[in-house]
Amino acid sequence: MKKFICIVLTVVLALSCMSAFAAEPLSSQEVGTTAQESITPFWVNTLSIIPSISGSAGTYSCSINGVSGTTKISATLVLYEKGWLGGYTEVARTSNTTYSASFFKSDSYSFSSGKTYKLEVSGAVTRNGYAEPVSATIEQKI
């Protein structure tokens, strides 16, 4: 009987230890990054993708640079305004395609002071027949 109780207790302890390792993932503070740092994805065709919101100039834009040999870059920029309940509503959209290794698209918008805006950019950078998907998002309070 004592042997059976020892075995049961050992199994229970082993299972309880295993579930402790299945806890939630580490936050950015626990892994050593801050909210100001960003993680740069690894791309094959793409050197950089830089979205921007300028409330003072009334513009939103994006610059994408491909590696040497890039033949086409296309992207769509979608601007969202944050509502008072925290949800986002699309307020503007623009897109463009260039047949070179450098892409830039800018459009104007009448930003409201005190509001938060999010710019999502998605597109593709093509080189040697491979269209690599790219994306970036920024959020900014005006």
Side-chain angles (χ1 to χ4, degrees):
M1 184 65 171
K2 288 181 184 180
K3 191 174 187 178
F4 176 75
I5 292 174
C6 274
I7 292 172
V8 170
L9 284 175
T10 303
V11 170
V12 169
L13 285 173
L15 290 176
S16 67
C17 289
M18 289 175 67
S19 64
F21 292 110
E24 63 187 72
L26 297 174
S27 72
S28 63
Q29 292 174 336
E30 292 170 321
V31 295
T33 61
T34 65
Q36 299 298 324
E37 294 179 42
S38 63
I39 297 172
T40 304
F42 178 75
W43 290 306
V44 176
N45 295 350
T46 310
L47 291 174
S48 64
I49 176 168
I50 305 168
S52 174
I53 297 173
S54 175
S56 59
T59 61
Y60 61 101
S61 62
C62 184
S63 170
I64 303 174
N65 293 300
V67 298
S68 178
T70 296
T71 54
K72 178 182 174 183
I73 302 175
S74 60
T76 300
L77 289 66
V78 183
L79 184 67
Y80 297 91
E81 183 178 275
K82 190 173 187 178
W84 63 280
L85 289 176
Y88 285 90
T89 303
E90 182 179 330
V91 293
R93 172 185 292 258
T94 188
S95 60
N96 195 25
T97 299
T98 60
Y99 293 91
S100 69
S102 182
F103 171 97
F104 182 78
K105 179 64 179 170
S106 179
D107 209 347
S108 60
Y109 183 76
S110 181
F111 294 98
S112 298
S113 182
K115 292 274 192 173
T116 299
Y117 293 88
K118 177 170 68 171
L119 177 59
E120 291 183 349
V121 179
S122 60
V125 178
T126 304
R127 182 178 74 119
N128 296 331
Y130 170 62
E132 176 178 64
V134 295
S135 64
T137 302
I138 61 164
E139 186 175 292
Q140 183 174 329
K141 186 170 183 173
I142 305 299

